[in-house]
Amino acid sequence: MRRLADKYGAHLLDADTMFAELSVTTGPEHWSADGVHPTPAGHAALAEAWLRLVA
């Protein structure tokens, strides 16, 4: 995905790294109860990161 984003000049939100960093202090269950689908807090974190990326 990174190569494609670079190739086409697209924004890339590295959610995997973002959630790994967030999980250090709160634990992963805060962001995704099942490890795949974001919790409301996970959705909020994604939305905030996306807004920072495209603003």
Side-chain angles (χ1 to χ4, degrees), residues 3-30:
R3 283 191 306 238
L4 287 172
D6 287 342
K7 180 178 179 179
Y8 294 103
H11 293 292
L12 177 66
L13 175 57
D14 187 358
D16 184 52
T17 299
M18 179 190 77
F19 282 124
E21 291 171 355
L22 290 170
S23 294
V24 170
T25 56
T26 61
E29 298 81 14
H30 180 74

Side-chain angles (χ1 to χ4, degrees), residues 11 13 18 44-55:
H11 293 292
L13 175 57
M18 179 190 77
L46 283 169
E48 290 171 14
W50 182 83
L51 288 171
R52 283 191 308 270
L53 182 66
V54 300

